Amino acid sequence: MDEEQMWKGFFNKLNELKMNPPTEHEHQLQDSDGGFFEKFGDLLRQKSQLEEFTFKTSLAPFSEEEKTDDGSCTDSVLDVKDDDCIEIEVQSLQSVSTSENFSEAVFEKGICMNVEDLYEEILFEINNNIGCQTSEECTESMIEFAQEVFKISNSTHQEISEIARNKEPPKIRLNVEIIKAENLLSKDSNGLSDPFVTLFLESNSSHRYNSSVKTSTLNPIWEEHFSLPITEGHREEVLIIEVWDFDAAETVKEKVNKILDVKGVRGLSKLMKEIAVTASSGKHDNELIGRAVVTLKSIPISGLTIWYNLEKGSKTKSRGSVLVNLALSAEKNKNVAIQEHKHLLKLLLIHELETSQVANYWWNGKFSSMAEAIRTQHAVQSGLSPYDCALSQWHAYSTVHETHKLNFTLFNTILDILVPTINCLQNDSEDFKIFWDGAKRILPSCFSVLRKLRSKSVGDNKILKALSEVLDILAKIKNFEVPPTIEIFPSTVYGWIEKVDCEQSSNIDTIIIDAINSGAKEWLEHIVEGSKQGKDNETDEEKLQYLIQIIQMIRSDLQRAMEYFDKLFYHKIRLNYSTILYLFYDSKLVEICKAIVIDVCASIKMLDVPDDQFEYLPNIDNVNMGTTLFEAYLVLKRYITLGQSLSPNVKLHMSDFYQWFERGVTHWLDISVIKALNRIQKAIDLDQLHAVDETVKYSSSAVDTLAIFYQIKIFWQQLDWPEIEGSYTFVAKIVNDICRCCVFYAQRMSRRVERITKMEENDDIFILSEEWCLAINNMDYIRQSLPSFIKELGSEDVIRRIGEFRSNLEAERCTNTIKAVIDNALDTQRNQIVELIECVARKMSPPIRRYLSEGAEVLHKDSNSMERLMIYLEQSLETLYNTLNEVNFSRILDAIWGELSIIIYDLIQLNLDKRRPPAFFQNLRETLRTMISCFKIGNTETDVQILLEIEGILDLHALETSELIHQYYLDRLKYQKEESTSIFGQLAISAQFTETQLTLKILNARNLRPMDTNGLCDSFVKVSLMPTNRFIGFTSYKTAVHNKNCFPLYDEQFSIDLKEEQRNSENSLIVFNIKDKDLFGMTSQHIAECYITFADLIGCQDEQILMNLCRPEYSDSMALRALENRQGDKQAKDFLKKLRSKSTF
């Protein structure tokens, strides 16, 4: 049995039992010592885990916020305040009394253009929209919406509308971006093309625009821009997009060199045509792949990105497709357009916030359909690039963000567009200053998120999203140098920074760390103050609970920082968030913890432990130890382990915390060994020696004893003593104590069953009981568990660390010490188990021997003695099988079979000497098989070798003489098939079976062994069938003699009549005996022979079969020995005589 699997299986079973309420038996056992081991094992671990879960803050994303019917959340994502902290005031939209005041709060932050001028421009663009309408909103509706956004009175609106209508229409340009093409038609012999694009307006086909050539591809990518002026009637204008295959000027030789690149028959044909054209005329024209026609009236105001299928004439064959971006714009001063766009964005956003009443941090850049149409129309018709639009949005949205917080995703999206261009700008450029002005307005709210990560009102799933967005913003901004003219971190806003000098004030990285520490400081002060009991005279228990609560909350904060925030901080800004937190907490905690733990351990009184004999176990019911001290140890251990992983190269203030607990651990181990021995004795007394349940084969005391070890292991694994020498001292004591407990259990269990023996009333026959079997199982189960238990304690790892810390010699000494303790315990337990097993075997042997001795002369299945033996064996084996485990059941079977084997073997030898007939051995064989079947219970079978030998001997002696001779030839056939060559030559035959006949052809022989002095032989073949009792009346067949030839060609055919049962006997054998005819024809010399079964002939019907010839050997085979024992059998005697003559050369 795999000991590790056994040990794990036990604990899995134990864990299943732990899931159910304690039974009455468990209550009685645990009440004897007040549940001492459970308190420090499972219960201590469960309590620690429960407290850790209880003290978790609301950071982990366990639940979603309740949502309203429209899908929005009931709380704002980051709308949090703290009156004790200095930060930017977060105002909701409702805090501004009127919409006019809100507009003024936004527009007073910068110089803006005249609203009426901008309104006039917007009306002008609406009246002169470029492109088709993409929405159902009519022009009048857009004008009404614009009037509402700009807050223009009706009279003023009429005046401005009149001016806008009287303006000249704008000059139009068509902006085209050729992005890429896919699946183009092949035009070259290599199966590819060299495509380029030609653009032109249908009204001006002579003015064409060409893209670059992309060589050897059917999926080119261009990403090239073109701007085409439109003189008049842009709605009726048509854009032609043509994709051509470029054909470079090449000589005939150059084209011939392409022969290796040709793809397919079509490519070869194409290359041949090109060579012919070049050779005859020298022309090299580009080939049209396909074209697309675009009517400009189909282009919407906001532009269009679309795939167009390429066509050529009326041909329906697929020629590929091209992706283009199309937009119409008006010619306009870019600087003026940008200023207009900034102002327009502010007006649209203010109107959006006023009408939708969204909360802080909610708006993510999505306007209403009307507002988006006006914004897009202005950007497109002004010819603004994506960068121009993004910079305008950065300025406008950051200005509004100061008064009403917007979603960080919005700014991140804008930065994705800005950063590539900003990277290329000079630090003194106007765009660069605009960028940093916006960053200054956004950064305070970003740092506020870092400081307020622990706010309980924050939706867990949204704080992670918000944090990710904030870190993305900081990562993108901190790569740029702050202009000296901008004070990016004013003290009036960043009052929470303790020490700020000029250099740090412009360093975003240091401010990020300050923000993290500031948030941790505020939170630590809050939980320390909230965890105090408010008593003057606190007990040790209360002090420890206070310590545990503080550490658990801090560790939970760090753990969640690692699980949910570290990846974000590191991947976004390359900062180890949890490491920064831990180093801040480390110096603060040592001041709180050290004094409390040392005071509590100093108050523990030491205990005197008795010697190893344990003749008298002291009563220590009044000695107990609370688990709170070790709860504090486990919490601190996890905290330090966390710190070592976060800061591996930093000497932590609390790294030596375990020294505070050493006195407490020593005291617990002394108590545990005494309580373990007392509980084991109690478990044996309560054990009824019945299986725990139908799935196991041990009783309650084994489970109870291993449960003690399991609880001790849990305690030790949780303790995980950091200091190596102290760790070895403790683990060596635990190993020694556990071994003593195992020996104690074996001794007490042996005493328990020594008095359990049942006898039949009259015959004094030993009756095997379940109690004996369970006692053996229990002892063996405890013994097998010991090495795995010691291994799971981690003793090998402790010793390895001793070798690293001290020396290999010291580690070897420690290994030998522990090994000696374990080996001594295992030997003692093994001796107890073997003694019990031998005792059972000894008690069962006398009745078995008596039954066999009585029935030896009348041994058959109806014998009364054999029946009584079978009944006794069946009853005993049934008890053994149902109760013993597999290992011990096999041990007892081996012992019983040892006795049976000796008796039966003696009986066989005795009857061989008496020349008993085969029928006797058949009867004896059936008796043996009956006994074996009695032992085959379930999947368990005996593997005693002597039984296999006995059964084989009986099988042979039970055969009739002819069958025994047949068996000998079957053995020879196996030898013949194993031989790849033969010194005696080979024989070729063929055969065919019909329903009533076998047609056998003797074809030829090859390389026969010379038998005459002339180096040749005079051979013929004799054919016989085996076994003879199956083919009664059959006469042998002979071929003609072939003189002076070692390669005779017999070519003779014999027809053998067969009955159906003869034909179906596939193991029937044909013996081919090749002999040498002597000079006078009186005697023949045996050359060699070969064999084949009916089954082999059926498998090779009508095929030539070539067999190796061999000479039979008078070997020491089982069949020959059986024949030799039949001294009075004439058939056996004649066969052996012939065999001896054949085997001699």
Side-chain angles (χ1 to χ4, degrees):
M1 178 185 292
D2 188 341
E3 294 185 356
E4 290 192 22
Q5 291 297 326
M6 175 276 302
W7 179 247
K8 292 178 181 177
F10 165 74
F11 287 125
N12 290 335
K13 181 67 180 176
L14 189 62
N15 288 333
E16 292 178 8
L17 298 176
K18 295 301 180 184
M19 297 297 292
N20 301 319
T23 62
E24 182 64 27
H25 172 81
E26 291 173 337
H27 277 303
Q28 293 180 7
L29 199 61
Q30 295 177 17
D31 288 346
S32 64
D33 54 22
F36 176 81
F37 295 98
E38 287 72 21
K39 287 180 181 178
F40 285 88
D42 272 337
L43 296 181
L44 177 59
R45 180 170 63 182
Q46 293 170 8
K47 185 176 181 182
S48 177
Q49 293 172 349
L50 179 62
E51 288 177 349
E52 182 176 1
F53 174 77
T54 303
F55 290 136
K56 282 185 177 179
T57 63
S58 62
L59 292 180
F62 292 118
S63 61
E64 295 283 341
E65 285 192 38
E66 184 179 354
K67 293 190 175 182
T68 60
D69 294 337
D70 62 357
S72 62
C73 294
T74 56
D75 295 331
S76 63
V77 179
L78 288 171
D79 189 10
V80 294
K81 291 186 180 182
D82 192 338
D83 295 335
D84 299 331
C85 301
I86 301 175
E87 61 175 307
I88 291 293
E89 182 69 12
V90 179
Q91 295 179 328
S92 65
L93 187 59
Q94 291 78 4
S95 65
V96 181
S97 58
T98 64
S99 60
E100 289 80 1
N101 291 337
F102 179 57
S103 300
E104 292 175 3
V106 174
F107 286 110
E108 69 183 3
K109 298 180 182 299
I111 300 176
C112 302
M113 68 180 298
N114 187 281
V115 175
E116 294 181 357
D117 292 341
L118 178 58
Y119 184 62
E120 177 187 327
E121 181 63 24
I122 296 302
L123 292 182
F124 175 75
E125 291 176 352
I126 294 174
N127 291 326
N128 296 276
N129 68 80
I130 303 172
C132 68
Q133 291 290 344
T134 58
S135 68
E136 298 178 359
E137 312 298 337
C138 64
T139 303
E140 287 76 10
S141 297
M142 294 183 67
I143 292 174
E144 289 177 5
F145 179 77
Q147 182 180 356
E148 181 184 343
V149 171
F150 282 78
K151 298 179 174 60
I152 302 296
S153 63
N154 290 333
S155 59
T156 306
H157 169 71
Q158 294 297 333
E159 296 176 3
I160 297 175
S161 296
E162 184 65 25
I163 297 173
R165 280 193 293 269
N166 293 331
K167 280 188 175 182
E168 292 184 4
K171 294 181 179 180
I172 310 301
R173 297 191 71 87
L174 172 60
N175 301 306
V176 182
E177 180 186 6
I178 305 298
I179 301 174
K180 62 180 179 179
E182 289 185 355
N183 303 318
L184 295 180
L185 188 66
S186 169
K187 288 294 183 179
D188 293 338
S189 58
N190 59 3
L192 301 172
S193 295
D194 303 321
F196 68 94
V197 178
T198 296
L199 303 174
F200 61 90
L201 295 173
E202 192 175 50
S203 62
N204 189 12
S205 59
S206 61
H207 195 179
R208 297 178 176 239
Y209 300 81
N210 293 330
S211 72
S212 59
V213 177
K214 303 298 180 181
T215 59
S216 301
T217 178
L218 300 179
N219 300 285
I221 298 176
W222 286 287
E223 295 182 347
E224 298 179 17
H225 298 261
F226 303 90
S227 181
L228 287 67
I230 302 176
T231 55
E232 58 184 20
H234 69 275
R235 288 185 178 276
E236 290 73 28
E237 189 62 85
V238 176
L239 173 67
I240 308 298
I241 304 173
E242 294 180 340
V243 180
W244 292 78
D245 173 56
F246 179 74
D247 190 6
E250 294 178 322
T251 64
V252 173
K253 181 179 180 181
E254 290 173 334
K255 287 189 177 292
V256 170
N257 290 336
K258 291 183 176 181
I259 190 68
L260 296 178
D261 299 328
V262 167
K263 184 177 181 182
V265 176
R266 183 179 176 185
L268 181 61
S269 174
K270 190 173 186 65
L271 181 61
M272 293 299 102
K273 290 179 181 179
E274 291 178 2
I275 294 173
V277 171
T278 302
S280 61
S281 62
K283 293 182 179 180
H284 53 88
D285 295 332
N286 298 329
E287 291 186 73
L288 177 64
I289 296 176
R291 59 159 48 189
V293 179
V294 183
T295 57
L296 300 195
K297 65 180 180 181
S298 65
I299 302 174
I301 297 173
S302 58
L304 180 69
T305 300
I306 189 171
W307 284 95
Y308 287 104
N309 291 327
L310 299 177
E311 299 176 353
K312 184 178 180 181
S314 60
K315 297 180 181 179
T316 59
K317 184 178 181 180
S318 174
R319 314 185 75 81
S321 54
V322 61
L323 178 64
V324 297
N325 177 270
L326 304 171
L328 295 167
S329 65
E331 294 183 355
K332 197 177 199 179
N333 183 282
K334 187 174 183 179
N335 292 331
V336 174
I338 291 175
Q339 291 301 323
E340 290 176 351
H341 201 65
K342 290 178 183 178
H343 201 68
L344 176 62
L345 287 171
K346 291 179 184 178
L347 288 169
L348 292 174
L349 179 53
I350 292 169
H351 179 268
E352 189 79 15
L353 297 176
E354 289 173 347
T355 55
S356 62
Q357 297 291 304
V358 296
N360 281 321
Y361 296 99
W362 197 263
W363 194 77
N364 60 2
K366 186 176 182 181
F367 284 107
S368 63
S369 59
M370 282 287 195
E372 182 63 22
I374 293 176
R375 185 201 69 81
T376 304
Q377 185 181 50
H378 182 269
V380 173
Q381 295 193 17
S382 299
L384 296 182
S385 66
Y387 167 77
D388 296 329
C389 293
L391 189 61
S392 301
Q393 292 169 352
W394 179 256
H395 170 79
Y397 296 163
S398 63
T399 303
V400 176
H401 184 74
E402 286 188 288
T403 307
H404 184 98
K405 296 296 182 283
L406 307 180
N407 195 295
F408 291 113
T409 306
L410 171 63
F411 296 105
N412 237 328
T413 305
I414 297 172
L415 281 172
D416 289 336
I417 302 173
L418 289 180
V419 167
T421 305
I422 296 294
N423 271 324
C424 303
L425 297 179
Q426 296 292 331
N427 291 351
D428 57 352
S429 66
E430 187 62 30
D431 287 357
F432 198 73
K433 292 178 182 178
I434 293 173
F435 170 77
W436 273 109
D437 283 336
K440 181 179 179 180
R441 291 188 284 267
I442 295 170
L443 284 176
S445 60
C446 293
F447 291 123
S448 178
V449 171
L450 300 186
R451 296 174 60 225
K452 299 300 175 183
L453 287 176
R454 300 169 185 82
S455 298
K456 294 184 178 180
S457 61
V458 177
D460 297 328
N461 58 326
K462 296 175 179 58
I463 190 64
L464 294 174
K465 175 64 176 175
L467 177 62
S468 177
E469 298 294 340
V470 165
L471 294 178
D472 276 334
I473 292 172
L474 293 175
K476 294 167 185 173
I477 293 178
K478 74 187 187 75
N479 292 325
F480 299 105
E481 183 180 349
V482 182
T485 57
I486 299 178
E487 186 182 2
I488 196 69
F489 302 118
S491 59
T492 55
V493 176
Y494 296 87
W496 42 267
I497 301 177
E498 294 184 357
K499 295 181 180 180
V500 181
D501 54 30
C502 296
E503 183 180 352
Q504 289 180 324
S505 63
S506 61
N507 189 334
I508 293 180
D509 288 327
T510 58
I511 301 302
I512 292 174
I513 296 175
D514 288 338
I516 295 171
N517 288 337
S518 173
K521 178 183 177 183
E522 294 168 11
W523 182 72
L524 181 60
E525 291 173 351
H526 172 72
I527 64 170
V528 168
E529 188 64 29
S531 301
K532 290 183 178 178
Q533 300 292 329
K535 297 180 181 180
D536 295 333
N537 298 321
E538 291 181 324
T539 63
D540 289 347
E541 184 77 11
E542 291 172 340
K543 292 178 181 177
L544 291 172
Q545 289 292 353
Y546 163 74
L547 181 149
I548 290 171
Q549 186 174 358
I550 296 297
I551 300 172
Q552 282 280 32
M553 294 177 72
I554 292 175
R555 201 184 72 81
S556 296
D557 183 42
L558 290 167
Q559 189 68 35
R560 285 186 298 278
M562 295 174 62
E563 292 179 6
Y564 304 110
F565 298 150
D566 264 8
K567 287 183 180 179
L568 290 176
F569 274 89
Y570 186 78
H571 289 300
K572 305 292 185 182
I573 58 176
R574 289 295 184 269
L575 193 68
N576 293 319
Y577 173 71
S578 55
T579 301
I580 296 171
L581 282 183
Y582 189 90
L583 294 177
F584 174 82
Y585 290 139
D586 185 49
S587 60
K588 304 294 182 182
L589 276 181
V590 71
E591 302 171 2
I592 301 173
C593 301
K594 185 175 182 179
I596 295 176
V597 175
I598 291 178
D599 289 344
V600 172
C601 288
S603 63
I604 296 176
K605 295 181 180 179
M606 303 306 293
L607 182 70
D608 292 331
V609 180
D611 59 21
D612 292 343
Q613 300 301 320
F614 287 109
E615 295 178 358
Y616 169 74
L617 300 179
N619 185 357
I620 56 172
D621 293 340
N622 59 339
V623 178
N624 216 325
M625 174 181 284
T627 60
T628 312
L629 178 64
F630 291 98
E631 290 179 47
Y633 174 88
L634 295 179
V635 172
L636 278 172
K637 179 178 72 68
R638 285 194 293 268
Y639 174 78
I640 294 300
T641 302
L642 187 62
Q644 290 171 345
S645 65
L646 293 174
S647 307
N649 300 320
V650 178
K651 174 65 175 177
L652 303 176
H653 292 83
M654 296 187 65
S655 58
D656 297 331
F657 81 99
Y658 59 89
Q659 296 176 358
W660 313 337
F661 294 87
E662 187 170 358
R663 183 182 177 92
V665 176
T666 302
H667 182 64
W668 185 88
L669 293 177
D670 290 340
I671 296 175
S672 66
V673 65
I674 299 176
K675 287 188 176 288
L677 294 170
N678 279 284
R679 183 180 279 200
I680 290 172
Q681 183 61 60
K682 182 70 173 179
I684 293 175
D685 294 339
L686 294 175
D687 193 355
Q688 300 298 317
L689 287 176
H690 297 306
V692 175
D693 57 44
E694 65 277 3
T695 64
V696 297
K697 296 182 179 181
Y698 42 80
S699 60
S700 62
S701 62
V703 176
D704 297 333
T705 301
L706 291 180
I708 297 171
F709 302 164
Y710 175 67
Q711 300 295 347
I712 293 174
K713 185 195 79 168
I714 292 177
F715 173 78
W716 172 247
Q717 288 177 342
Q718 291 183 97
L719 192 66
D720 191 19
W721 195 257
E723 192 265 322
I724 182 58
E725 291 186 326
S727 180
Y728 173 74
T729 301
F730 288 141
V731 79
K733 178 170 174 53
I734 293 175
V735 169
N736 184 57
D737 291 344
I738 294 299
C739 289
R740 292 159 66 191
C741 289
C742 290
V743 172
F744 179 80
Y745 178 85
Q747 293 172 348
R748 295 302 171 96
M749 181 54 69
S750 294
R751 294 179 189 177
R752 174 79 187 275
V753 297
E754 281 178 357
R755 298 184 296 273
I756 302 177
T757 304
K758 296 181 180 179
M759 308 290 288
E760 278 193 12
E761 295 181 359
N762 299 327
D763 298 335
D764 294 334
I765 296 176
F766 172 70
I767 304 301
L768 189 64
S769 65
E770 182 180 304
E771 289 84 354
W772 278 87
C773 301
L774 287 177
I776 294 172
N777 279 351
N778 289 345
M779 295 164 59
D780 193 44
Y781 202 65
I782 296 295
R783 176 184 168 274
Q784 291 185 57
S785 303
L786 182 59
S788 297
F789 174 77
I790 301 301
K791 183 177 181 180
E792 297 214 5
L793 275 179
S795 57
E796 295 178 357
D797 183 62
V798 172
I799 293 173
R800 178 186 59 78
R801 291 163 58 198
I802 282 283
E804 295 173 355
F805 181 73
R806 289 289 187 182
S807 64
N808 292 333
L809 183 63
E810 185 70 15
E812 184 178 356
R813 184 186 66 79
C814 295
T815 301
N816 294 335
T817 300
I818 291 181
K819 185 176 183 299
V821 173
I822 298 173
D823 290 345
N824 181 62
L826 292 175
D827 290 341
T828 304
Q829 293 175 84
R830 185 186 297 107
N831 292 338
Q832 294 287 339
I833 295 169
V834 170
E835 184 177 338
L836 281 181
I837 290 177
E838 290 177 350
C839 181
V840 172
R842 286 195 302 271
K843 290 179 180 295
M844 290 183 63
S845 294
I848 294 174
R849 181 178 295 274
R850 190 179 77 183
Y851 289 140
L852 283 177
S853 299
E854 290 175 356
E857 294 301 322
V858 288
L859 199 59
H860 56 81
K861 61 182 178 181
D862 295 327
S863 171
N864 179 262
S865 297
M866 187 55 59
E867 181 180 356
R868 293 169 62 193
L869 174 61
M870 292 300 104
I871 293 174
Y872 179 72
L873 286 177
E874 286 178 0
Q875 292 175 346
S876 300
L877 291 177
E878 188 72 23
T879 301
L880 291 170
Y881 177 77
N882 291 333
T883 312
L884 284 179
N885 60 33
E886 184 178 347
V887 174
N888 292 322
F889 181 65
S890 297
R891 289 174 178 172
I892 287 190
L893 284 186
D894 290 344
I896 296 173
W897 269 116
E899 293 292 329
L900 285 173
S901 301
I902 294 173
I903 295 171
I904 296 177
Y905 189 79
D906 290 343
L907 190 61
I908 291 174
Q909 293 300 322
L910 177 64
N911 286 279
L912 283 176
D913 295 338
K914 294 180 179 181
R915 299 183 181 179
R916 291 294 182 93
F920 172 82
F921 294 101
Q922 291 175 4
N923 189 27
L924 192 58
R925 180 186 60 188
E926 294 303 317
T927 302
L928 178 61
R929 289 177 178 174
T930 302
M931 295 175 63
I932 292 177
S933 67
C934 180
F935 277 73
K936 291 182 180 179
I937 302 177
N939 295 323
T940 305
E941 298 184 12
T942 178
D943 58 352
V944 181
Q945 185 62 33
I946 191 172
L947 293 177
L948 300 177
E949 295 177 1
I950 290 174
E951 188 173 5
I953 292 173
L954 287 175
D955 285 340
L956 286 174
H957 287 292
L959 294 175
E960 295 294 337
T961 301
S962 59
E963 293 288 345
L964 198 58
I965 295 171
H966 178 236
Q967 181 61 43
Y968 169 78
Y969 279 117
L970 288 176
D971 294 340
R972 291 298 304 164
L973 175 61
K974 294 179 182 178
Y975 170 80
Q976 173 185 304
K977 290 181 178 181
E978 292 173 356
E979 294 296 317
S980 59
T981 59
S982 172
I983 61 174
F984 300 102
Q986 295 174 312
L987 178 66
I989 67 167
S990 66
Q992 183 178 8
F993 277 96
T994 63
E995 293 184 359
T996 60
Q997 200 174 59
L998 167 64
T999 302
L1000 185 65
K1001 295 180 180 180
I1002 311 297
L1003 301 178
N1004 58 73
R1006 307 174 187 179
N1007 200 25
L1008 294 180
R1009 187 182 185 91
M1011 301 298 293
D1012 299 336
T1013 57
N1014 59 4
L1016 301 173
C1017 62
D1018 306 323
S1019 65
F1020 67 93
V1021 179
K1022 181 180 179 181
V1023 180
S1024 306
L1025 297 182
M1026 292 288 178
T1028 56
N1029 62 342
R1030 193 177 299 171
F1031 300 94
I1032 297 175
F1034 173 79
T1035 57
S1036 301
Y1037 292 94
K1038 296 181 181 179
T1039 66
V1041 177
H1042 289 254
N1043 296 319
K1044 298 179 181 180
N1045 194 348
C1046 291
F1047 293 85
L1049 181 63
Y1050 301 111
D1051 198 17
E1052 294 188 33
Q1053 178 174 307
F1054 304 101
S1055 296
I1056 304 172
D1057 294 329
L1058 296 175
K1059 299 179 182 179
E1060 182 179 0
E1061 60 272 15
Q1062 292 174 331
R1063 184 186 184 282
N1064 294 333
S1065 300
E1066 294 188 354
N1067 71 335
S1068 296
L1069 201 70
I1070 302 177
V1071 180
F1072 299 92
N1073 194 344
I1074 301 180
K1075 296 186 176 183
D1076 178 65
K1077 190 80 171 180
D1078 68 351
L1079 180 62
F1080 302 102
M1082 298 298 295
T1083 61
S1084 298
Q1085 287 183 295
H1086 179 71
I1087 299 177
E1089 61 189 26
C1090 58
Y1091 329 95
I1092 191 168
T1093 62
F1094 279 13
D1096 293 337
L1097 287 177
I1098 293 172
C1100 303
Q1101 287 201 80
D1102 295 326
E1103 296 180 9
Q1104 179 175 312
I1105 303 172
L1106 188 63
M1107 298 178 289
N1108 289 326
L1109 297 174
C1110 62
R1111 281 192 178 183
E1113 297 179 0
Y1114 196 90
S1115 59
D1116 188 22
S1117 70
M1118 296 292 293
L1120 287 181
R1121 276 194 284 171
L1123 287 170
E1124 289 173 349
N1125 285 323
R1126 301 187 180 186
Q1127 298 179 5
D1129 190 317
K1130 184 177 183 303
Q1131 184 180 7
K1133 186 180 297 185
D1134 292 344
F1135 173 76
L1136 292 175
K1137 181 179 179 181
K1138 290 181 179 180
L1139 184 64
R1140 290 190 184 95
S1141 64
K1142 288 180 180 180
S1143 61
T1144 58
F1145 284 85

